[in-house]
């Protein structure tokens, strides 16, 4: 046998041995893999037939458009003529009943919110509805005299106290004249535009402040349909207000709502800015969260779920994030069948 023949035979033997070794290794690896358990994530999934339930509070909170009607802007006017020697008016200032925002020729003017503007000088002994209205407005400020529609010295003394609270050396008066009172349409005026500044020479009736439009009607644009019989509250920029069953907003809250940034933005551009609020239930409802597929026999806002051989009937309140919220006529189940069979209906 030649040398070349021997080398060829050796190469054949080596290659065959290597191939046999590879086959053996592959067989060993395959056997080992078969003996190792698959991770749980890779195992064949097992169908889940039941689901636990959870309890959560439902407030039915939602954003709504508010339907609003405004009165035209009004003005606070000067009751007398002269030089405006003092003014604390500013866009953010509040002009309050019983305060003093302006002074003319050094004499303070008292800001008063009466049912009607003062139209005559009220001296001791004057009688009438205007006297009673003045006494009633002063009673809100702490006046403890008799409210009888008869002007007495105690009423005038209290008025002098208001003047001197603003200017300690303000001269005392023995009658209350319209020229000494700035009439306000409400107990507090906010967000007004100052029209006159210190140094201005005024005539009686000149405008001092232009008031923002006042609310004359306010209600929800659309009343929520879910559980309509339950009391609700609406809030604008955190200011709450009650709502009646027809969606009308409580009048007592109108002044506070009119002071919110949302109201001011609406007034500035009512054509493109909507006046919105958030409405929700006054008392949240305790509901049970179940999968939608668990509900059978649904009719209107009623339906049933099953837990074993027991059916639980209740009201369908709302749907949130892929779940249905229900309240049950009796104690709720602890878990429910996710996909009840065809025989499962509401008893």
């Amino acid at each position: 046998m030649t040398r070349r023949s021997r080398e060829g035979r050796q190469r054949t033997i080596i290659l065959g041995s290597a191939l046999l070794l590879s086959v053996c290794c592959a067989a060993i690896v395959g056997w080992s893999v078969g003996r190792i358990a698959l991770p749980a994530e890779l195992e064949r999934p097992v169908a889940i037939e039941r689901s636990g339930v959870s309890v959560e509070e439902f407030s039915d909170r939602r954003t709504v458009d508010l339907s609003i009607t405004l009165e035209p802007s009004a003005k606070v006017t000067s009751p007398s003529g002269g030089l405006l020697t003092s003014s604390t008016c500013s866009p953010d200032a509040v002009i309050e009943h019983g305060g003093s925002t302006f002074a003319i020729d050094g004499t303070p003017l008292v800001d008063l919110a009466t049912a009607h503007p003062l139209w005559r000088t009220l001296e001791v002994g004057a009688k009438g509805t205007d006297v009673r209205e003045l006494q009633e407005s002063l009673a809100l400020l702490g006046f403890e005299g008799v409210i009888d529609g008869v002007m007495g010295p105690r009423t005038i003394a209290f008025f002098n106290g208001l003047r001197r609270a603003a200017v300690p050396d303000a001269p005392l008066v023995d009658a209350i004249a319209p020229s000494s009172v700035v009439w306000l349409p409400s107990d507090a005026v906010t967000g007004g535009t100052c029209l006159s500044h210190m140094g201005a020479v005024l005539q009686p009736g000149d405008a001092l402040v232009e008031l923002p439009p006042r609310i004359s009607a306010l209600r929800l644009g659309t009343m929520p349909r879910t559980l309509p019989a339950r009391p609700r509250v609406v809030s604008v920029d955190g200011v709450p207000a009650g709502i009646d069953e027809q969606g009308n907003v409580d009048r007592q809250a109108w002044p506070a709502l009119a002071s919110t940034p949302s109201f001011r933005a609406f007034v500035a551009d009512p054509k493109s800015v909507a006046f919105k609020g958030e409405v929700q239930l006054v008392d949240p409802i305790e509901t049970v969260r179940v999968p939608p597929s668990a509900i059978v026999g649904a009719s209107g806002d009623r339906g049933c779920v099953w837990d074993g051989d027991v059916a639980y009937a209740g009201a369908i309140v709302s749907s949130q994030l892929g779940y249905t919220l229900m309240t049950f006529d009796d104690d709720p189940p602890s878990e429910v069948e996710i996909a009840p069979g065809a025989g499962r209906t509401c008893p």
Side-chain angles (χ1 to χ4, degrees), residues 23-33:
V23 171
C24 293
C25 289
I28 293 171
V29 170
W31 177 83
S32 300
V33 170

Side-chain angles (χ1 to χ4, degrees), residues 97 112-119 129-130 132-138 140 183-187 214:
H97 172 56
L112 289 183
T114 52
H116 299 88
L118 196 64
W119 56 272
T129 303
D130 53 348
R132 177 179 291 274
E133 289 178 353
L134 175 64
Q135 291 172 332
E136 289 173 344
S137 70
L138 296 180
L140 299 175
W183 182 72
L184 302 179
S186 61
D187 291 345
R214 298 178 64 190

Side-chain angles (χ1 to χ4, degrees), residues 37-285:
L38 290 173
E41 294 82 357
L42 299 179
E43 291 182 351
R44 178 174 297 177
V46 178
I48 299 175
E49 298 179 351
R50 307 174 71 81
S51 172
V53 301
S54 61
V55 177
E56 64 180 61
E57 288 191 341
F58 174 71
S59 62
D60 197 19
R61 187 170 185 170
R62 63 185 74 188
T63 299
V64 296
D65 288 331
L66 295 172
S67 176
I68 183 170
T69 304
L70 300 177
E71 295 179 357
S73 298
K75 293 181 174 63
V76 173
T77 59
S78 175
S80 61
L83 184 68
L84 187 61
T85 53
S86 177
S87 173
T88 58
C89 180
S90 70
D92 297 327
V94 180
I95 302 177
E96 292 185 304
H97 172 56
S100 179
T101 307
F102 307 98
I104 294 180
D105 295 336
T107 300
L109 305 177
V110 179
D111 305 323
L112 289 183
T114 52
H116 299 88
L118 196 64
W119 56 272
R120 62 170 176 153
T121 299
L122 301 178
E123 301 176 338
V124 173
K127 300 179 181 180
T129 303
D130 53 348
V131 177
R132 177 179 291 274
E133 289 178 353
L134 175 64
Q135 291 172 332
E136 289 173 344
S137 70
L138 296 180
L140 299 175
L141 300 171
F143 174 62
E144 297 179 348
V146 178
I147 300 175
D148 55 2
V150 179
M151 179 62 69
R154 293 187 66 181
T155 304
I156 295 176
F158 190 86
F159 181 78
N160 277 318
L162 296 177
R163 285 163 55 89
R164 289 200 161 179
V167 178
D169 59 353
L172 299 176
V173 297
D174 56 9
I176 301 176
S179 60
S180 62
V181 173
V182 172
W183 182 72
L184 302 179
S186 61
D187 291 345
V189 172
T190 59
T193 302
C194 303
L195 301 177
S196 298
H197 304 278
M198 283 194 299
V201 177
L202 301 175
Q203 299 296 325
D206 282 353
L208 297 170
V209 181
E210 183 175 18
L211 304 180
R214 298 178 64 190
I215 300 173
S216 61
L218 182 61
R219 66 184 314 278
L220 299 190
T222 302
M223 190 69 178
R225 296 183 178 275
T226 305
L227 305 175
R230 291 182 178 267
R232 283 177 163 78
V233 64
V234 67
S235 62
V236 178
D237 298 335
V239 176
I243 311 168
D244 65 18
E245 293 182 358
Q246 288 72 44
N248 298 307
V249 179
D250 182 11
R251 295 178 63 93
Q252 299 299 319
W254 289 3
L257 296 175
S259 67
T260 61
S262 290
F263 178 81
R264 290 196 291 268
F266 169 76
V267 169
D269 189 6
K271 292 184 178 181
S272 58
V273 176
F275 191 41
K276 295 180 177 290
E278 285 193 335
V279 64
Q280 65 182 46
L281 296 172
V282 173
D283 298 314
I285 305 169

